[in-house]
Amino acid sequence: MLIRSLTLATLMAFTGPLLAADDNPLKQELGKTRPLVVVELDAGNPTLATLKKQLEEAAIKQSFEERSMVFYTVKFGSIGAEGEKFAKDPKDSKKLTPPETNALIRALKLGVGSGTKVILIGKDGEKKLEKTVPPD
């Protein structure tokens, strides 16, 4: 856990000045959608896989779409953070670039921890719910 925290801090320290341009993907969603962001800090935690599987169920998918929601994921691995956006329209789904992923992480102000964080953001851009699922 300490190594991950140090890796994240080092990554942010070196890339912060390079990423001065605001590439925050959440700004594009402001007033349009309700982003649900899942940040997987521990690769072994099944929360992200479970949520993805549940979103494939017809009833949940329909509710997700009715509420104008999009789904963002951030996974920390050995080479840093990787982000993805899943939207109702497949052409809007995409892998986030490293600057977009880092901007998303900065915007969420995650802090240090372990487990998986699930964050619901309202159309107004404010956090409405933040839960941490501890590692197994």
Side-chain angles (χ1 to χ4, degrees), residues 1 4-5 39 41-42 45 111-117 132-135:
M1 184 169 94
R4 283 193 188 139
S5 299
V39 181
L41 300 170
D42 293 319
N45 197 320
V112 179
S114 63
T116 299
K117 293 191 182 269
T132 300
V133 180

Side-chain angles (χ1 to χ4, degrees), residues 2-15:
L2 178 62
I3 292 173
R4 283 193 188 139
S5 299
L6 291 174
T7 303
L8 179 60
T10 304
L11 175 71
M12 298 305 283
F14 286 109
T15 60

Side-chain angles (χ1 to χ4, degrees), residues 9-27:
T10 304
L11 175 71
M12 298 305 283
F14 286 109
T15 60
L18 299 173
L19 304 173
D22 193 7
D23 293 327
N24 182 0
L26 296 178
K27 285 198 172 186

Side-chain angles (χ1 to χ4, degrees), residues 44-94:
N45 197 320
T47 305
L48 179 58
T50 302
L51 280 171
K52 280 184 176 181
K53 186 178 281 188
Q54 289 175 345
L55 286 174
E56 293 173 4
E57 295 176 19
I60 294 175
K61 189 173 188 176
Q62 181 180 356
S63 295
F64 202 77
E65 292 171 2
E66 286 173 359
R67 290 174 177 83
S68 302
M69 296 178 75
V70 293
F71 185 52
Y72 283 92
T73 64
V74 176
K75 291 192 264 184
F76 285 93
S78 59
I79 52 175
E82 296 178 355
E84 282 188 271
K85 173 186 177 183
F86 301 93
K88 173 175 80 171
D89 189 350
K91 70 177 182 165
D92 290 336
S93 297
K94 64 176 188 166

